[in-house]
Amino acid sequence: MFILTAVLTTGALSLTACGSRDDKGGGGGGGGGKTTVVIGVDAPLTGDLSALGLGIKNSADLAAKTANKENTVPGIEFKVEALDDQAQPSVGQQNASKFISNKDVLGVVGPLNSSVSQSMQKPLNDAGLVQISPANTGTELTQGDGWKTGDKKRPFKTYFRTATTDQVQGAFAAKYLFNTAKVTKVYLIDDQKTYGAGLAASFKDTFTKLGGKIVGNDHINPDDRDFNAVVAKVKNSGAKALYYGGEYPAAAPLSQQLKDSGTNIPLMGGDGIYSAEFPKLNKKATGDLATSVGKPVEQLDSAKKFIADYKTAGYKDDYEAYGGGTYDATWSIIEAVKIAVADNGGKLPDGARAKVLEAMSKVKFDGVTGPVSFDEFGDTTNTMMTAYQVEKGAWVPKVSEAYKP
């Protein structure tokens, strides 16, 4: 599982159709007589998780600018409107309403947090507005609450993602820890949020099936920074590793306090701790582990242009864990708009949101993170996962594989 220029503004709104237009039906609000299409971005742009959120914002902005530069959709000018959800579901829901009310918005990228997404999915679905997250991993978001018993039902037709699910990620982590790291005793902690709890549950299910033992189980408040009470429990449990379902702001001090107690065992987590901020906040992070979706973009030939263009653009913040996935998520919307425009004789159609949604099932391209397409649930068909370990203050990839539990 990181401001750029000021948020781009949209042109005048049409009362009858999506996309800014003049009275003659020609492009208005876009450069050179083009029709303006806005892509909304929802992410935590302030607060503890802003490193990840700003990486999402910047990467979406780069995709839009690249599409404009390359004239990917003739007659269309893409702009980005980014809103800060502060990693709060209530704010995310408010942002969803803002995107819905702006008729130029034909797709929304984000959010970072699965719990925030739960508050956004229904209103965006009711409005027929495509949503695609580069970071949400909560399995129930695409497959419904019955997925654990095999009763998979897609709750919202407008929701897609370029990140794979907690079911995949938790299972991959358990397999790595048990088979590769040879750890058989784990203490399990989660932050009680949708993402963290789901990830921990998936890890536990696979780890115990492999023959591993959960020697203790606790929940923490993700806003806390003093974890000495739970650290004492871990120390006395005989655990050889701590698996944490949550994000880096709490994971970093939890890991350091564990090491400070004299318990020199690794903390492992998911993509929520896979951030450059984790080793910065944790002076004793060496040996800690994380999983993240996809292969490291630095190892992908398909990502070379993205990395170079990001650097050239001069963004002040790193693209972080979700940069490549965000670029691909944004490009998916761009590709869907391209299909909708091509099917309407080269012009943005009336009822464009419905047409873009319809086109999403046809989207298929070679992206930054590899081949991009979606299955019947709106999940990415790319289930590549990577395990990382902190060495000399930085995350180092250890193994990558396409994984299906």
Side-chain angles (χ1 to χ4, degrees), residues 22-40:
D22 60 26
D23 292 338
K24 296 180 180 179
K34 292 186 175 182
T35 299
T36 298
V37 167
V38 176
I39 298 174

Side-chain angles (χ1 to χ4, degrees), residues 42-44 49 84-96 110-124 131 136 141 193-195 247:
D42 181 90
L49 293 171
D84 180 11
D85 64 28
Q86 303 168 42
Q88 298 296 321
S90 60
V91 181
Q93 190 171 45
Q94 293 169 16
N95 291 347
L112 168 70
N113 305 87
S114 293
S115 56
V116 175
S117 204
Q118 286 178 320
S119 72
M120 300 179 70
Q121 283 181 302
K122 188 178 188 306
L124 291 174
Q131 174 191 3
N136 294 164
L141 296 177
K193 294 164 68 175
T194 302
Y195 163 73
E247 296 148 334

